Amino acid sequence: MAEIHPIGHIRTDFPEKFGIPRQSGLVPDLLGKIVFLPEYRREEAFREIEGFSHLWVIWQFSKAGGDDFRPTVRPPRLGGNRRVGVFASRSPFHPNRLGLSCVKLEGLDLSDPEGPVLWVSGIDMLDGTPIFDVKPYVPVADCIPSAAQGYTQQTRAHALQAIFEAGLEEKIPPEKLAALIGVLENDPRPGYEDSPEKEYGLTFAGFDVGFRVNGDILTVFRADPV
């Protein structure tokens, strides 16, 4: 049986799973840094990659839990009650736990001490996620406007308005604020939870962020360094 091994990992602002966007590209301001293992840090391996605006990244849900096969899953955005086949989902519980993300290439850094490294945006990965491969996104082959959406056409999709209690917005570094707001407005809660009294917390960019949601308004009531 063929074996595959990581070629590197990605560094992101998410030390925990909660809050990570459910798909790549949903929060364009989220940055990640792909660092390759020493044997792949060869400049010629990246020749002409900067001619592409987007990349496919193949990775692994390394914190997804046990290895038991689950033939059906319950997508959170379907309310947590409807089961679909695992192969009709993007659940972490696929065999091999592989993930696939389309990210924007922000730059190739050859001067980084661990370089060459790739800076990418629109990420949906945990800090330290193992990377198995990187391939260019080719619009003529990869974009299919007539593709059917399946049950995702019915999935609850909405945006919240994020507001901060007095003084909390200034606590977040300016270069991280837009990404955090994007994460919050994308609604990180499970699709079946909608209680205005419930408090949630996520760790992002070194901050413990607490929030509540009432209707379409998300209020941040805590932003403490961790």
Side-chain angles (χ1 to χ4, degrees), residues 142-159:
D142 296 341
C143 180
I144 306 175
S146 62
Q149 301 178 54
Y151 63 83
T152 64
Q153 192 169 12
Q154 309 164 23
T155 309
R156 183 164 70 106
H158 66 283

Side-chain angles (χ1 to χ4, degrees), residues 19-73:
I20 298 177
R22 293 172 177 84
Q23 304 291 341
S24 58
L26 293 180
V27 183
D29 292 299
L30 282 175
L31 284 174
K33 177 184 179 182
I34 300 178
V35 179
F36 294 86
L37 295 177
E39 57 265 41
Y40 304 111
R41 296 175 188 173
R42 298 178 58 172
E43 185 174 342
E44 63 266 32
F46 301 88
R47 187 179 300 153
E48 297 201 35
I49 196 171
E50 291 178 291
F52 297 92
S53 64
H54 292 73
L55 303 172
W56 289 111
V57 180
I58 301 170
W59 49 279
Q60 186 178 55
F61 290 96
S62 53
K63 301 289 181 66
D67 294 327
D68 293 339
F69 175 61
R70 301 186 185 186
T72 63
V73 294

Side-chain angles (χ1 to χ4, degrees), residues 189 194-200 211-215 221:
R189 300 173 300 163
D194 193 22
S195 170
E197 291 80 28
K198 187 172 178 61
E199 296 184 349
Y200 302 87
F211 64 91
R212 306 181 191 90
V213 179
N214 190 347
F221 63 85

Side-chain angles (χ1 to χ4, degrees), residues 100-115:
L100 178 67
S101 297
C102 182
V103 298
K104 183 179 179 182
L105 175 60
E106 297 291 347
L108 168 67
D109 189 350
L110 301 176
S111 63
D112 189 283
E114 298 176 299

Side-chain angles (χ1 to χ4, degrees), residues 117-152:
V117 301
L118 297 176
W119 284 96
V120 295
S121 62
I123 59 95
D124 58 343
M125 289 165 268
L126 189 71
D127 185 49
T129 290
I131 303 299
F132 285 99
D133 208 352
V134 174
K135 298 177 183 289
Y137 176 92
V138 181
V140 69
D142 296 341
C143 180
I144 306 175
S146 62
Q149 301 178 54
Y151 63 83
T152 64

